[in-house]
Amino acid sequence: MKKATMLALGTTAAMLALSACGASGGKDAAPGGASDSGSNGGSAPSIKLTLEDRLLETSTEGAVIAHRKMIDEFKKEHPNVEISEESLQDATYKTKIKTLAAGNDMPDVFELLGSDAQMFVDNKLIMPLDDIMNQDSEWKKGFIPSTLKDFTVNGVLAGAPMQMLSTSLIFYNKDIFDKVGITEFPKTWKEFTDAIDTLKAKGYTPISLGNKDKWVAESSILSELGDRFTGTDWFNSIKNNQGAKFTDKPFVDALTALQSLSKMGAFNSDLNSIDNSQQRTAFYNGKAAMFFEGDWAISSLSSEAPQEIKDATHLAILPSVEGGAGKANVVSGGAAWAFAINANLKGDKLQAAIDLVKKLTGVEEANAAAENNAVAATIPTDYDKSKVVPLFNEYLEMFKNLEQSPIYDGQLSPAVIETMNNGLQDLLIQRITPEQLAKDIQSTYEGS
């Protein structure tokens, strides 16, 4: 399996070698080990760390704002450490990190997607964090326990979780709902599709969708919609190779339900040409009644949307599905992303990397995230609640009554996710049937 995985990585690297040439990745990193340390005016050693992530400086997400604050503080606290950070768009990053892995040219510290953790651990590209975290009990006990479980692979802690996400929230404009005569958010799938018909008849785009980067339809809709039909036990059977199949009727029914939304005109026609940030534009303009994203969009909406849109926006989750095996109070969620450390680091450079990861995932980061309306993987202890917007408080209140189901791209193998994400683009424009997509995913699952 390891050999096959490396072969897959190598193929990816060959295909994407040109795109990777211009990026810094691990190229700027000095070789690992204490010998990486130079001099700093004859006092503290000078250490260079490369950091690779998806946390763009232009992002308005609360988690990214908190990350920037922690980076600035770390630099002040560690003047002997130079950080060379490269932040990429989500899709570009996912490709880039696999290319670097194929060449065994990992950055010193990097974001790790949950579905990649097994592959990186198998190929010994990641520094196990178990002993490191056990040596700092204050750091370890600050984490929400389930987030550590999300990144434990074969008994190895692959990364330090950086967030606690709910990925399938529905942001809806209550003023629009009121105008078309929908007095409360639908509680059943039938009511939901009736509402879409009503919104469309009144000239609104019922759901603004930007699936250009492919993950939105899977991570923010299907992960939860699938659970409504299959229940979480089905997913656990898939993950643990205990007999469930993607061709099982409940999962095919979920794909059919998603395609039926597209067929009835629930989405904008350019859904495969715009991304998740662009899908919010129609909502901000009052032309779309809903969009699906995770809790990270709360802070973005709160800083980007006109005041009347902020005031009218509320949160919901998908309604129950008649005959479905899943619970109605479940939302897909989990840690999803963590910070990992290059397995080859040693000496002062390793210690600097550990200090950086602690800074980016500790309680200070959690407090900064909370003040910017985001949920970190660590429990906040002291933050200014006056900075929190009403929509974030609404989310926190709603979250008290929710359970979480796994996020597909946080748990399933990269190959399965790639087939699923590519197929969902085709499914949404009726280029493939639900039955065929289910067969394609199952075929990839059996071959991975």
Side-chain angles (χ1 to χ4, degrees):
M1 182 175 179
K2 177 181 175 182
K3 184 177 181 181
T5 303
M6 288 306 291
L7 178 61
L9 287 171
T11 303
T12 303
M15 292 173 61
L16 301 164
L18 289 176
S19 65
C21 287
S24 60
K27 299 294 184 184
D28 294 336
S35 60
D36 300 336
S37 303
S39 62
N40 183 18
S43 55
S46 177
I47 301 170
K48 293 183 178 179
L49 286 180
T50 53
L51 172 62
E52 199 86 11
D53 57 51
R54 310 160 300 117
L55 308 172
L56 300 175
E57 290 190 18
T58 54
S59 174
T60 55
E61 293 178 15
V64 183
I65 295 170
H67 172 80
R68 294 278 153 237
K69 182 179 181 182
M70 293 302 104
I71 289 288
D72 289 343
E73 289 186 6
F74 183 87
K75 289 178 178 177
K76 292 176 183 176
E77 294 164 358
H78 299 77
N80 60 319
V81 179
E82 177 183 335
I83 299 175
S84 176
E85 182 178 13
E86 182 180 50
S87 300
L88 302 171
Q89 293 281 356
D90 185 271
T92 305
Y93 177 81
K94 289 172 180 172
T95 300
K96 172 75 179 293
I97 206 69
K98 289 178 178 140
T99 303
L100 296 174
N104 194 20
D105 188 24
M106 301 305 296
D108 299 321
V109 177
F110 58 97
E111 269 194 285
L112 173 67
L113 181 62
S115 61
D116 288 340
Q118 177 81 56
M119 177 175 62
F120 280 43
V121 168
D122 287 347
N123 289 288
K124 303 187 186 307
L125 296 168
I126 288 173
M127 176 77 65
L129 295 185
D130 306 85
D131 291 342
I132 294 169
M133 197 169 283
N134 287 335
Q135 291 170 9
D136 189 340
S137 59
E138 287 298 313
W139 180 38
K140 182 177 181 178
K141 75 179 183 182
F143 285 95
I144 299 170
S146 64
T147 64
L148 296 177
K149 183 179 178 182
D150 285 348
F151 279 90
T152 300
V153 178
N154 296 339
V156 172
L157 182 60
M162 56 178 287
Q163 59 195 357
M164 183 65 178
L165 298 176
S166 294
T167 65
S168 297
L169 300 178
I170 301 174
F171 294 73
Y172 71 98
N173 184 322
K174 192 173 185 308
D175 284 351
I176 292 178
F177 274 57
D178 289 342
K179 285 178 183 176
V180 303
I182 305 172
T183 55
E184 63 178 345
F185 197 83
K187 290 185 170 57
T188 67
W189 186 255
K190 176 67 166 56
E191 291 178 359
F192 186 62
T193 55
D194 286 348
I196 287 172
D197 282 335
T198 300
L199 290 162
K200 186 171 175 57
K202 296 293 185 181
Y204 293 101
T205 298
I207 304 169
S208 184
L209 176 59
N211 196 43
K212 178 183 177 181
D213 291 336
K214 302 180 182 178
W215 61 265
V216 178
E218 166 263 315
S219 185
S220 292
I221 304 179
L222 186 63
S223 284
E224 185 168 311
L225 182 60
D227 192 84
R228 290 284 188 276
F229 281 91
T230 68
T232 305
D233 288 345
W234 174 89
F235 178 88
N236 291 333
S237 178
I238 284 282
K239 184 180 179 184
N240 298 317
N241 293 306
Q242 293 175 331
K245 295 181 178 180
F246 287 98
T247 50
D248 290 342
K249 186 176 183 304
F251 184 73
V252 177
D253 287 344
L255 294 177
T256 302
L258 179 58
Q259 190 177 58
S260 73
L261 294 181
S262 178
K263 285 181 175 178
M264 65 189 298
F267 306 118
N268 42 296
S269 60
D270 59 347
L271 57 92
N272 283 337
S273 301
I274 63 174
D275 62 23
N276 65 303
S277 296
Q278 293 168 309
Q279 76 177 4
R280 300 175 201 145
T281 301
F283 187 84
Y284 295 164
N285 292 338
K287 295 179 179 178
M290 296 178 276
F291 71 92
F292 284 76
E293 270 199 71
D295 54 60
W296 59 84
I298 294 173
S299 52
S300 294
L301 182 143
S302 298
S303 63
E304 297 168 353
Q307 189 60 47
E308 63 271 23
I309 298 295
K310 295 179 192 175
D311 293 342
T313 301
H314 292 275
L315 299 173
I317 59 174
L318 274 173
S320 62
V321 173
E322 186 177 358
K327 298 179 181 177
N329 68 331
V330 164
V331 63
S332 57
W337 289 91
F339 280 108
I341 296 176
N342 187 324
N344 293 323
L345 297 193
K346 299 176 183 176
D348 293 341
K349 190 164 186 172
L350 172 58
Q351 187 56 56
I354 293 171
D355 292 343
L356 177 59
V357 171
K358 286 183 179 180
K359 188 72 178 180
L360 298 178
T361 60
V363 68
E364 292 175 84
E365 191 272 344
N367 289 334
E371 287 185 353
N372 287 282
N373 309 296
V375 180
T378 302
I379 301 167
T381 57
D382 182 18
Y383 64 97
D384 186 350
K385 294 180 175 60
S386 68
K387 294 182 179 180
V388 174
V389 299
L391 193 62
F392 187 66
N393 281 328
E394 180 178 325
Y395 167 66
L396 294 179
E397 193 63 30
M398 184 173 74
F399 190 76
K400 293 177 183 176
N401 300 312
L402 294 178
E403 298 178 24
Q404 288 196 314
S405 62
I407 317 166
Y408 287 170
D409 61 0
Q411 299 283 332
L412 299 175
S413 77
V416 169
I417 290 301
E418 184 176 2
T419 299
M420 186 181 294
N421 286 354
N422 288 334
L424 286 175
Q425 282 199 327
D426 290 337
L427 184 85
L428 289 167
I429 56 174
Q430 288 82 57
R431 193 178 285 173
I432 190 171
T433 65
E435 292 78 10
Q436 185 58 52
L437 176 54
K439 289 178 182 176
D440 292 347
I441 298 170
Q442 179 64 23
S443 177
T444 302
Y445 173 69
E446 292 174 357
S448 62

